[in-house]
Amino acid sequence: MKSHLSEDQQKVLVILKLDAKHVFERIKNRMDEYLRTFAVKRTRVHFKDIFSNRYEQVNVDDLKECSEEVIIALDKYYSKVDDLFWYLNHTEDLPNFVRDKLNQGVRELEGILQILNVHIDAQLRVEAGE
């Protein structure tokens, strides 16, 4: 089966997959550091770096060739990322409650990321003719 996606469109899928992975890793693996900074300094400036992502920069035209499942999974994933970012930037909760809420959010985000990866991998395999 010949791919109907261009090489550039396939690269967009790979970039989105890698970006989602890196965003998740920053949120999860740097949690102790950014929560410590938040608790001690009561600043929120550093959250922008943790939650930055390439999805916000993707052109709609680049997404047109993605399957409906990929688009829905991307939306669900990055909506959850945005929810966590919003929460951290606006919460008045105590640090221990913030940590608990983030741990729950990370567990949810991990499940969404797994589903996103399944859909991206499936589209890349289909497009590659496998």
Side-chain angles (χ1 to χ4, degrees):
M1 173 186 303
K2 181 144 170 77
S3 173
H4 74 279
L5 290 181
S6 70
E7 187 175 329
D8 286 344
Q9 291 164 328
Q10 290 176 29
K11 286 178 183 178
V12 167
L13 283 171
V14 172
I15 288 168
L16 289 170
K17 180 179 178 177
L18 292 173
D19 181 60
K21 174 185 174 227
H22 294 305
V23 169
F24 176 77
E25 289 172 348
R26 284 194 309 271
I27 293 170
K28 181 179 179 183
N29 299 336
R30 297 180 186 173
M31 187 184 304
D32 289 339
E33 297 168 43
Y34 65 78
L35 288 181
R36 185 174 25 261
T37 300
F38 174 65
V40 173
K41 297 182 181 178
R42 297 310 282 180
T43 184
R44 298 163 198 258
V45 176
H46 59 294
F47 294 141
K48 181 179 64 82
D49 294 329
I50 298 297
F51 288 85
S52 68
N53 62 76
R54 292 185 174 133
Y55 182 67
E56 296 171 344
Q57 302 164 4
V58 174
N59 187 324
V60 172
D61 288 334
D62 291 330
L63 296 175
K64 284 182 181 178
E65 297 298 326
C66 292
S67 69
E68 185 176 326
E69 293 84 6
V70 168
I71 293 169
I72 291 168
L74 283 167
D75 180 68
K76 187 171 184 179
Y77 179 80
Y78 284 102
S79 291
K80 183 63 181 179
V81 168
D82 185 60
D83 289 347
L84 293 173
F85 181 64
W86 179 265
Y87 169 73
L88 286 171
N89 276 295
H90 294 88
T91 187
E92 294 181 12
D93 293 337
L94 295 173
N96 284 339
F97 188 80
V98 172
R99 180 178 297 281
D100 291 344
K101 184 145 175 108
L102 273 177
N103 281 325
Q104 173 65 30
V106 165
R107 284 190 298 274
E108 292 173 20
L109 199 57
E110 187 170 26
I112 298 167
L113 178 61
Q114 289 173 353
I115 292 168
L116 172 61
N117 286 333
V118 165
H119 291 302
I120 290 176
D121 289 345
Q123 184 169 4
L124 287 171
R125 276 193 296 275
V126 166
E127 299 309 330
E130 293 178 12

